[in-house]
Amino acid sequence: MKMLTYSNNDQMPALGLGTWKSDPGVVKKAIIEAIAIGYRHIDCAAIYGNENEIGEALQECIKNGMVKREDLWITSKLWNDAHKREDVQPALEKTLADLRLDYLDLYLMHWPVAFKNGLSFPENSEGYLSLKEAPLAETWQAMQELQKQGLAKHIGTSNFSIHKLEQLIAFGGQKPEMNQVELHPYLQQQALIDFCHQNDIHVTAYSPLGSMDRPEVFKKEGEPIPLENETIKAIATAKSISPAQVLLAWPLHRKISVIPKSTNPKRLQENFEANGIALSDDEMGTIAKLDQHERIIDGSFFVAEDKGYTVQNLWDE
Ligand code: A2P
C-alpha cells in the first residue's frame, strides 16, 4: 500500500474509502467489506449523516479482530456550523461518539465558510457568520487545542485555497497537515499541489471519479464526466484495467491521497487494486492535457454576499 508520511512519521494509507453519499442503510456493510478487502483509511464527515453507522461497522471489525484500531486511519471533518471556538470540541466529541472512537487520525475544517451553530444548511444569508464574526484563525486555534489533547492526531483543512492556507500558516502554531480538495483530470490543481507539497501539506483528492451519484442540485448540464473521457478510456483499454483504476492510479502517482466512494463490493475491490497500478510518463503527460479547471463542487451553494461569501472569494480566483 502506498503511504503518505507525516512529520512525526505517522503513515496514512494513500488510498482510502470515501463515504460522502454512502447511505446510512448500506454504509455499514460497505465498511466491513472494505476492511475485509484491505482498506485501512476511511474518510468521513459529520455532515455526511452516516458516522453512526460507520461507527457500528468499525466497532464490529475491531471487536471481532478483523483489524486493530491502530492499523486504521480515520479522518473526519468539522462542519461549518461549529467554527466558533466553543463549538469545535463538542463537534469532534459528537463525531467520536458516533464513530465509537477515542481519537481521530485526522480532523479537517470542512469548508472556509461559517454558519450559526445548529444550522446544517442555512436557508438564507441570515444563517451565515462572516469571516469577521467567525475568523478562520479562531477555528484553527481550537483545532490545534484538539490536537494537543490527543483527540485528533493530525489536523488540516478541506476546500482551502493557497491564499487561505497562507493565512493559517502566518497565524503560527501547527500548520495544516492536509488539504482535501476536489481533484480529477478536469480539475488538476497543479499550483495548489505545488504550494502544499512545498509547505509539507499533504493533499487528498475528493470526487476522483466525478461523483456522479451526487445530488441533482450539484449537477450542471453538459458537464464532462471523467469516467467517460475518451483518453482515460483508451489508457484503460491499453492497460487492460478499468477507467476508474486509471483515475485512481493518477493521483497516487502524484503523491496525493485519493478517496473513491463505493458501496458496491466489486467496485470496492476494483478501486483498491488501483494501488498497484503504475502509469508511464507518457500516460501521465497525456492525462495532464485534460485539465479544464472545471469544478463539480463549485461552491455556488455557499454564496451569501452580504456575509462576504462569493464563489470568487471562496476559491480566491
Ligand atoms: P457505487 O457506490 O455504486 O460503486 P466519487 O468517489 O468521485 O464521489 O464517485 C463515486 C461514484 O462513482 C458512485 O456513484 C460510485 O457508485 C461510482 N463508482 C465507484 N467506483 C466505481 C468504479 N470502479 N467504476 C465505476 N463507478 C464507480
Side-chain angles (χ1 to χ4, degrees), residues 17-22 26 30 39 183-184 205-214 226-227 242-245 247-248 258-272 296:
L17 177 66
T19 62
W20 176 41
K21 315 172 259 73
S22 296
V26 295
Y39 285 83
L183 200 144
H184 44 71
Y206 76 67
S207 296
L209 303 175
S211 292
M212 287 312 291
D213 56 344
R214 67 193 184 279
L227 277 169
S242 72
Q245 288 175 322
L247 292 172
L248 300 176
V258 65
I259 46 166
K261 171 266 174 185
S262 183
T263 48
N264 172 292
K266 194 178 143 284
R267 290 192 284 274
L268 282 168
Q269 179 72 43
E270 176 184 324
N271 296 348
F272 189 70
I296 290 171

Side-chain angles (χ1 to χ4, degrees), residues 10 69 72-78 85-97 99-108 141-156 177:
D10 279 356
R69 168 65 186 99
L72 288 171
W73 183 281
I74 310 292
T75 299
S76 185
K77 310 184 194 87
L78 177 77
R85 176 184 299 281
E86 63 276 15
D87 297 327
V88 174
Q89 185 163 337
L92 174 64
E93 284 169 352
K94 167 82 169 77
T95 275
L96 288 174
L99 292 172
R100 277 65 155 188
L101 300 176
D102 49 18
Y103 70 90
L104 288 178
D105 297 277
L106 178 62
Y107 199 40
L108 307 176
Q141 175 78 46
M143 296 282 287
Q144 294 186 45
E145 291 302 321
L146 302 178
Q147 187 178 33
K148 283 189 195 129
Q149 292 181 60
L151 295 172
K153 294 209 166 174
H154 300 276
I155 53 174
E177 299 175 90

